[in-house]
Amino acid sequence: MAITLVNPAGLPEVDAYRQVSIASGSKLVFVAGQVAWDAAGATVGEGDLAAQVEQCYLNVGTALAAVGATFEDVAKLTVHVVDWAPDKMPLLLEGIARAAAKLGVTPVAPGTLLGVAALDAPDHLVEVEATAVID
């Protein structure tokens, strides 16, 4: 495994992610922002943030698997949420938990959560991109 996740002393411990990742692999993998599309390009969970988060994480998992990587290889996640407000956090965490259960992983790489005005299509509520490191 090319990634070691760390919560350094002096920084708060957050359940949803670790503060630092240390990469020791030799190949960088950049996964384009994944939206809530199924394999045919149809939006999953229209109007349902948790369902869309789940699909985004599943799509990231599919992209990683295609190049021989898993969420254990992810060094950084960036999540873009339309019209973000703190009251959406339970839905975001629910979607992540559902995807994690399906994938059999705990995606806790360092992450950045950004509120955005809009994404590529009006029915998309969230987009997740990943950077991974593999040997």
Side-chain angles (χ1 to χ4, degrees), residues 33-84:
Q34 296 298 304
V35 294
W37 279 332
D38 64 15
T43 298
V44 173
E46 193 167 337
D48 182 342
L49 180 61
Q52 289 201 15
V53 169
E54 177 183 4
Q55 186 64 44
C56 290
Y57 273 77
L58 293 174
N59 289 350
V60 169
T62 298
L64 291 169
V67 297
T70 71
F71 270 95
E72 290 183 352
D73 300 307
V74 173
K76 175 83 167 57
L77 289 167
T78 303
V79 180
H80 303 85
V81 182
V82 174
D83 297 327
W84 174 256

Side-chain angles (χ1 to χ4, degrees), residues 88-129:
K88 293 183 178 182
M89 184 62 80
L91 294 172
L92 178 78
L93 295 175
E94 177 186 335
I96 293 170
R98 290 183 346 205
K102 287 182 178 177
L103 294 166
V105 300
T106 305
V108 293
T112 299
L113 173 62
L114 300 169
V116 297
L119 291 169
D120 64 318
D123 55 340
H124 291 156
L125 305 175
V126 63
E127 182 172 316
V128 180
E129 63 183 85

Side-chain angles (χ1 to χ4, degrees), residues 4-15 17-21 108:
T4 302
L5 301 176
V6 179
N7 271 328
L11 294 176
E13 286 193 26
V14 180
D15 290 338
Y17 63 90
R18 303 299 176 260
Q19 296 285 0
V20 177
S21 66
V108 293

